[in-house]
Amino acid sequence: MNPIDLDHVLTVLGAAAWNTDEQSRARVAGALALTIYDGHTRDQGTPYLEHPLAIITLLATEIRVSQVETLLLALLHDALEVAPESEALLVQHLGAPFADRLRAMTADHRLEQRPKVAGDETRWRFKQAALPPEDLLVRLADRLHNLRDLAASPNLDRRQRFLQSLQDFYLPLADAARGLSPHLEAMHALLHAEYVQQQQEVRP
């Protein structure tokens, strides 16, 4: 597979259909994504940037999201997780409000660059539950792509952990939020369908 470049990122975003200002912002965000995710890989060994690009495709094609800022948020949703030190760069080029949205979507132990400790999971769940609808949509799309990608992970207990958290937290969260927008209604349906499929696959 060829390395991901800016043109590819812009194509996945669908930026050709955007206005001039939106295209300019997309180029800035795309360049930042290429810089921030560079050198990082997922546990499957794939380039990290493939993950946010897959989420953009999921949102655009399966949920019919067209809002520019939502798609750019999806592109950079893990920026502060993989590189907390990039916050100043994000503020400089995309503005403090955008960086604040990313902070709200990132676990505290990642932001503070420390190991996870007791209480972090509870705080993380409260943090996600407090997200505004479009930001929550991106976070749920992230979870959906992670679930679909489980088969490629070498981590044997990752599947069970993800399915348990889906059952305990993400499905109830998506159910509670489904009435907030048609996009969240559609996301709830996709998550539920994925849960049913995954449960069928693990049965003997």
Side-chain angles (χ1 to χ4, degrees):
M1 181 178 176
N2 294 328
I4 299 170
D5 60 14
L6 182 57
D7 284 342
H8 179 70
V9 173
L10 295 175
T11 298
V12 173
L13 285 167
W18 299 355
N19 67 39
T20 302
D21 288 343
E22 291 168 345
Q23 289 182 2
S24 177
R25 189 163 172 82
R27 283 192 291 273
V28 171
L32 286 169
L34 288 165
T35 298
I36 292 169
Y37 293 125
D38 183 45
H40 294 277
T41 56
R42 304 251 287 158
D43 67 341
Q44 300 91 329
T46 54
Y48 204 100
L49 186 50
E50 291 182 6
H51 169 60
L53 291 178
I55 293 173
I56 292 167
T57 300
L58 188 164
L59 288 169
T61 62
E62 298 184 57
I63 307 292
R64 303 299 180 189
V65 172
S66 59
Q67 291 91 336
V68 170
E69 287 299 299
T70 304
L71 295 175
L72 295 183
L73 195 71
L75 176 63
L76 288 161
H77 78 279
D78 273 343
L80 295 180
E81 176 172 328
V82 304
E85 68 278 5
S86 67
E87 183 172 2
L89 197 63
L90 290 159
V91 170
Q92 178 185 352
H93 292 285
L94 293 174
F98 188 89
D100 287 343
R101 292 175 76 182
L102 294 178
R103 282 188 66 86
M105 295 175 66
T106 306
D108 290 345
H109 73 284
R110 299 289 190 184
L111 292 171
E112 296 164 10
Q113 303 182 62
R114 59 170 174 77
K116 197 172 184 179
V117 297
D120 275 340
E121 182 63 27
T122 299
R123 283 189 288 273
W124 172 230
R125 292 187 175 192
F126 275 114
K127 199 171 185 179
Q128 291 178 95
L131 290 172
E134 290 302 311
D135 303 44
L136 176 60
L137 182 68
V138 172
R139 182 49 70 195
L140 292 175
D142 168 65
R143 180 54 45 152
L144 179 58
H145 181 251
N146 283 333
L147 287 162
R148 290 175 173 178
D149 216 24
L150 282 176
S153 174
N155 190 331
L156 296 179
D157 71 349
R158 182 179 172 89
R159 181 191 190 102
Q160 188 54 46
R161 287 189 292 108
F162 269 62
L163 286 176
Q164 193 65 50
S165 66
L166 177 63
Q167 178 179 306
D168 295 344
F169 177 68
Y170 286 99
L171 273 178
L173 178 62
D175 185 54
R178 62 194 296 188
L180 297 177
S181 74
H183 289 151
L184 283 166
E185 177 74 32
M187 180 57 69
H188 172 266
L190 287 176
L191 277 170
H192 185 267
E194 186 65 26
Y195 176 69
V196 170
Q197 181 177 329
Q198 294 274 0
Q199 287 292 88
Q200 291 172 343
E201 290 177 2
V202 299
R203 287 173 184 166

